[in-house]
Amino acid sequence: GFTTKFQLYTVPGQVYYQTTRKLVLQGADGIVFVADSQARQLQENVESFQDLHANLAEQGVDARAIPLVIQYNKQDLPRDLILTVPELSDALNFRGVPEYSADALHGPGVFETLRGISELVLRKLSASQGVAR
């Protein structure tokens, strides 16, 4: 019932990009948190996810109210280097949001993630505008 325009921004999780992340989050209608599936990256994933929630709170945004999905990237790597989706979910997905296994280099899971966040954002915007579905 309304015209949509998607603008996608990517911001690396490193501390160096913290200011950029804050700016991008100011106008965000939805968030895809991309976690690196490598076991050695787990602590960095947790810290980055905590940083995301802290940035949202700092801006007065209820993290539970903004559409969010989690993508577990690099699931194509050898099994001895990565955590399984249930292991990653246990560590990161305390909200029980939609989650997607992905291999961004080759494509599997990427479109599904985009579709998932798009649906959540459009549902929320429709509800806030009183648009019947």
Side-chain angles (χ1 to χ4, degrees):
F2 51 92
T3 303
T4 58
K5 178 180 179 181
F6 287 91
Q7 293 180 312
L8 306 174
Y9 297 93
T10 180
V11 183
Q14 293 90 345
V15 175
Y16 175 81
Y17 294 101
Q18 187 171 15
T19 303
T20 304
R21 282 197 308 273
K22 286 180 182 184
L23 289 172
V24 170
L25 284 174
Q26 284 180 356
D29 292 314
I31 299 169
V32 174
F33 183 83
V34 180
D36 188 321
S37 294
Q38 295 177 89
R40 64 183 172 89
Q41 293 297 117
L42 181 59
Q43 188 57 40
E44 287 82 359
N45 287 327
V46 169
E47 289 171 6
S48 185
F49 203 56
Q50 290 170 340
D51 184 60
L52 168 65
H53 282 79
N55 284 335
L56 290 170
E58 188 177 299
Q59 294 180 36
V61 175
D62 181 355
R64 295 166 298 181
I66 192 162
L68 169 74
V69 301
I70 301 174
Q71 181 186 87
Y72 303 119
N73 193 27
K74 300 184 182 177
Q75 283 289 303
D76 59 310
L77 293 178
R79 290 286 162 214
D80 61 329
L81 298 178
I82 64 171
L83 296 172
T84 64
V85 169
E87 290 170 323
L88 289 161
S89 183
D90 187 52
L92 296 170
N93 198 1
F94 56 89
R95 283 180 47 192
V97 300
E99 53 192 5
Y100 301 88
S101 175
D103 167 8
L105 185 61
H106 301 101
V110 175
F111 183 74
E112 293 81 0
T113 302
L114 179 59
R115 183 177 340 135
I117 192 61
S118 299
E119 288 174 0
L120 290 178
V121 167
L122 290 173
R123 268 193 224 123
K124 182 176 181 194
L125 291 175
S126 293
S128 70
Q129 298 295 317
V131 176
R133 241 190 130 220

